[in-house]
């Protein structure tokens, strides 16, 4: 077709489309059979509102001409389009050829791809087959590996290598030996636990050999451990170092015996308990004997608050001699420092003995308890680490506990040191706290027992002090001296010491006992005071003792408040009484007048009015000797009271009271008719105040 077109047409020829097609008229078109005008009227009606359609219809008879013009325009456009196509005919022919070539190439490729598809389908089938084979082989390999591992483990667990036999039979007990023991233990457990192993034929061959090895290993480690235990019995052996650095390294040996040689383990356990029981008992017994040489005797049964210090004489005199350390019987002093040194290392007896040191028993008690705590803590931890048992500690320490009980049963019945007993009670309490912080419960019952034994003894000694006051012989205790009595000083120091030791504990029973002691000393002090013939001396005696007691109690701190307040009230009342007695001694007439008549109105009693003649002797007497009297009062106070500050305070109170009496006298004179005549003899208040200030400066 392209060839035909090329032959019939040339680039220079011009195609006349109009000549080829001819003229087309609208009438010809209308006469065609394929044109129908049905519904035209309806469409025109529907489109009459359209602006274009309406414009066309409005032209009326010119419509046909207009239509013909349109047809001609369309024909022209069509002819132009055909002409453009003819111009591009060469390109279209070339495009056709190219499409044809591509079609051939694609057809060839289709053939090749179809072949590839068939081959790929075949390969996919082969791969699927290979995959199935691979999965099957992997599963069989996995099963074989599992079987191999189980079989290998079984063989490894049940066989007995020659090297293992050599080590267990001929080797020394060391780290390698213990590692071999672990392997033997695993094999023994393996054949005992696994039911499948028990049914295997291999076990019948191996089990006798395993049993022989077990017996040999048990025998060998038993001899080894017993030999190590015998080393504990050697003198001067540091048991704790031997336990930590030697025995604990062979901890597994004991575990092996516990698991595979129970009877032998029980023998080892019994041997260790017996050895440590005897060794520790001997150590504590020797330590106690060494401590007893360092003991400083503080008190005997005669060292009581209410017992006189003068040596007895006569037919029935006792052989009692006062101890050199009498001050420590009642005063706490430096003995309180033992509570600050509660966790210090125990005393080393030979060092203390070499320096000729002596200690109160509470120091030795703390040292002994400290040694017991440290030894018990070490042994308790060792028993738990080495044997895996805690209860065997109590079997080991039954001996040391017995030695300690024997010692205390000897010491306590002869202990009359109440301060020392209370210190020991506080030491036990601190040691209980230390063991609690260590989380070691092995001494709980022992410490409770010691505490329970100390309290009754303290109560008994305390009651001895109390009864010594209640049953005191006043005649033998009394001394013709108004200064503080030694019994009262003992009481004050003893009470202050116990209050100080009770400050952090608030023991109500102790406070009640101290109140009973206070009541007893009050009664005894009053009885002693009554032995003085003069009331003034009785008052001075009481004031000196009360003042001294308050000063000692203040050293105990605020905890002494209740008892201290009691003695302060007694001091206050007796001070007021002494002031009155002192003033009456020097200004008796003046005080009688002031108390009897100074407050009255001189004119209120017409029968017996106060007259100048009645008052004049009092005024002149006071004016003539008041300074001398004050000086005498000052000397009296200075010699009467042991405490200078207390004496000056009493003197100032007396002078102040004297000023009040004299002021009342002066006021009374002013109200007497003609009293102004005595003004020249009256001592001015400022003069008396000056003297008071003068003596106050010394205060």
């Amino acid at each position: 077709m392209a060839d035909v077109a090329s032959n019939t047409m040339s680039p220079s020829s011009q195609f006349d489309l109009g000549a080829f097609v001819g003229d087309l008229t609208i009438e010809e078109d209308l006469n065609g059979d394929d044109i129908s005008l049905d519904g035209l009227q309806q469409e025109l009606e529907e489109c009459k509102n359209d602006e274009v359609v309406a414009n066309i219809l409005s032209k009326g008879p010119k419509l046909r001409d207009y239509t013909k013009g349109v047809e001609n325009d369309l024909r022209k456009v069509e002819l132009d389009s055909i002409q453009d196509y003819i111009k591009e005919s060469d390109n279209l022919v070339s495009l056709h050829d190219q499409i044809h070539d591509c079609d051939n190439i694609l057809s060839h490729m289709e053939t090749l791809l179809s072949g590839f598809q068939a081959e790929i389908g075949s390969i996919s089938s082969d791969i699927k087959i290979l995959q199935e084979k691979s999965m099957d082989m992997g599963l069989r390999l996995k099963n074989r590996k599992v079987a191999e591992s189980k079989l290998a483990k079984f063989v490894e667990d049940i066989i007995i290598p020659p090297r293992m036999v050599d080590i267990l039979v001929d080797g020394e007990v060391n780290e390698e030996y213990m590692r071999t023991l672990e392997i033997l233990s695993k094999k023994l457990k393996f054949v005992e636990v696994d039911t499948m192993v028990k049914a295997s034929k291999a076990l019948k061959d191996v089990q006798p050999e395993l049993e022989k090895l077990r017996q040999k290993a048990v025998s060998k480690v038993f001899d080894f451990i017993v030999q190590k235990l015998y080393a504990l019995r050697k003198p001067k052996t540091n048991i704790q170092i031997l336990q930590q650095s030697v025995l604990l390294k062979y901890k597994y040996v004991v575990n092996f015996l516990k698991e595979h040689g129970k009877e032998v383990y029980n023998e080892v356990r019994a041997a260790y308990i017996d050895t440590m029981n005897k060794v520790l008992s001997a150590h504590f017994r020797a330590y106690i004997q060494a401590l007893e040489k360092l003991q400083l005797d503080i008190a005997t049964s005669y060292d009581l608050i209410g017992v006189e210090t003068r040596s007895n004489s006569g037919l029935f005199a006792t052989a009692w001699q006062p101890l050199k350390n009498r001050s420590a019987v009642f005063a706490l002093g430096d003995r309180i420092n033992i509570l600050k040194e509660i966790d210090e290392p125990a005393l080393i007896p030979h060092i203390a003995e070499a320096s000729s040191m002596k200690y109160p028993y509470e120091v030795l008690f703390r040292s002994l308890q400290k040694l017991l705590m440290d030894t018990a803590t070490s042994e308790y931890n060792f028993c738990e680490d080495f044997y895996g048992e805690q209860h065997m500690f109590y079997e080991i320490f039954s001996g040391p506990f017995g030695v300690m009980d024997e010692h205390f049963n000897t010491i306590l019945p002869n202990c009359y040191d109440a301060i020392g007993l209370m210190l020991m009670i506080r030491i036990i309490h601190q040691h209980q706290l230390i063991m609690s912080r260590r989380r070691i419960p092995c001494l709980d019952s022992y410490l409770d027992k010691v505490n329970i034994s100390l309290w009754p003894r303290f109560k008994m000694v305390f009651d001895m002090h109390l009864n010594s006051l209640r049953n005191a012989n006043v005649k033998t205790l009394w001394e013709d001296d108004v200064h503080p009595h030694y019994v009262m000083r003992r009481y004050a120091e003893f009470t202050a010491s116990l209050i100080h030791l009770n400050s952090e504990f608030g023991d109500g029973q102790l406070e009640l006992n101290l109140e009973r002691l206070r009541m007893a000393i009050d009664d005894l002090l009053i009885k002693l005071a009554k032995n003085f013939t003069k009331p003034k001396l009785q008052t001075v005696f009481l004031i000196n003792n009360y003042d001294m007691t308050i000063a000692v109690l203040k050293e105990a701190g605020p905890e002494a408040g209740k008892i201290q307040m009691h003695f302060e009230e007694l001091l206050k009342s007796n001070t007021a009484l002494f002031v009155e007695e002192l003033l009456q001694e020097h200004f008796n007439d003046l005080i009688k007048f002031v108390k009897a008549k100074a407050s009255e109105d001189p004119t209120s009693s017409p029968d017996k009015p106060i007259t100048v003649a009645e008052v004049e002797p009092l005024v002149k007497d006071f004016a003539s000797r008041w300074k001398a009297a004050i000086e005498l009062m000052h000397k009296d106070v200075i010699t009467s009271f042991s405490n200078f500050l207390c004496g000056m305070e009493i003197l100032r109170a007396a002078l102040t009271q004297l000023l009040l009496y004299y002021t009342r006298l002066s006021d009374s004179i002013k109200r007497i008719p003609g009293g102004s005549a005595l003004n020249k003899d009256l001592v001015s208040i400022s003069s008396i105040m000056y003297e008071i200030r003068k003596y106050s400066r010394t205060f």
Side-chain angles (χ1 to χ4, degrees), residues 137-206:
M137 293 174 65
L139 181 60
R140 284 184 290 172
L141 177 63
K142 182 179 179 181
N143 292 337
R144 287 178 182 179
K145 285 183 177 180
V146 172
E148 181 184 4
S149 64
K150 289 185 176 181
L151 183 60
K153 187 176 184 305
F154 174 81
V155 172
E156 181 183 357
D157 289 340
I158 202 169
I159 65 169
I160 305 173
R163 173 65 178 165
M164 176 180 172
V165 176
D166 293 341
I167 293 174
L168 292 177
V169 174
D170 301 323
E172 294 182 359
V173 179
N174 50 27
E175 293 184 1
E176 184 183 14
Y177 192 92
M178 287 189 290
R179 288 195 296 269
T180 308
L181 273 183
E182 290 186 35
I183 298 173
L184 177 61
S185 176
K186 291 179 181 178
K187 293 181 182 298
L188 291 172
K189 292 177 181 178
F190 178 71
V191 301
E192 291 173 0
V193 175
D194 198 323
T195 54
M196 294 181 64
V197 175
K198 291 181 179 180
S200 66
K201 294 182 179 180
L203 180 62
K204 296 179 181 179
D205 297 333
V206 175

Side-chain angles (χ1 to χ4, degrees), residues 506-521:
D507 191 288
Q509 188 64 36
L510 181 58
E511 292 175 356
L512 180 61
N513 286 327
L514 288 175
E515 184 65 20
R516 294 165 58 205
L517 194 67
R518 181 198 60 76
M519 295 171 63
I521 196 65

Side-chain angles (χ1 to χ4, degrees), residues 2 63 112 171 175 202 248 284 295 395 398 433 466 586 645 652:
L63 178 61
L112 291 175
E175 293 184 1
L248 276 181
F284 276 99
Q295 184 173 347
E395 299 179 56
S398 61
L433 295 178
L466 179 62
H586 296 280
L645 296 180
R652 188 169 63 174

Side-chain angles (χ1 to χ4, degrees), residues 361-408:
Y361 182 71
E362 68 269 8
V363 176
L364 309 181
F365 177 81
R366 183 211 68 86
S367 186
L368 181 58
Q369 298 302 312
K370 171 66 174 174
L371 179 64
L372 176 66
M373 284 196 308
D374 292 344
T375 306
T377 300
S378 175
E379 189 61 33
Y380 183 84
N381 288 330
F382 177 77
C383 289
E384 188 172 8
D385 293 341
F386 193 67
Y387 291 96
E389 295 186 41
Q390 297 176 353
H391 187 267
M392 65 182 298
F393 167 85
Y394 300 99
E395 299 179 56
I396 294 170
F397 263 74
S398 61
F401 285 155
V403 173
M404 301 286 280
D405 291 341
E406 179 183 353
H407 169 67
F408 287 129

Side-chain angles (χ1 to χ4, degrees), residues 251-273:
K251 174 182 176 180
Y252 184 76
V253 171
V254 174
N255 291 338
F256 180 83
L257 290 178
K258 185 186 291 188
E259 293 176 349
H260 305 292
K262 193 66 177 178
E263 293 181 359
V264 176
Y265 168 77
N266 290 333
E267 292 181 20
V268 171
R269 182 180 182 277
Y272 178 79
I273 291 173

Side-chain angles (χ1 to χ4, degrees), residues 594-605 608 610 668 671:
V594 170
K595 288 183 176 180
K597 299 183 178 181
S599 59
E600 299 179 3
D601 186 352
T603 60
S604 61
S605 300
K608 293 183 180 180
I610 301 174
S668 177
R671 295 195 297 270

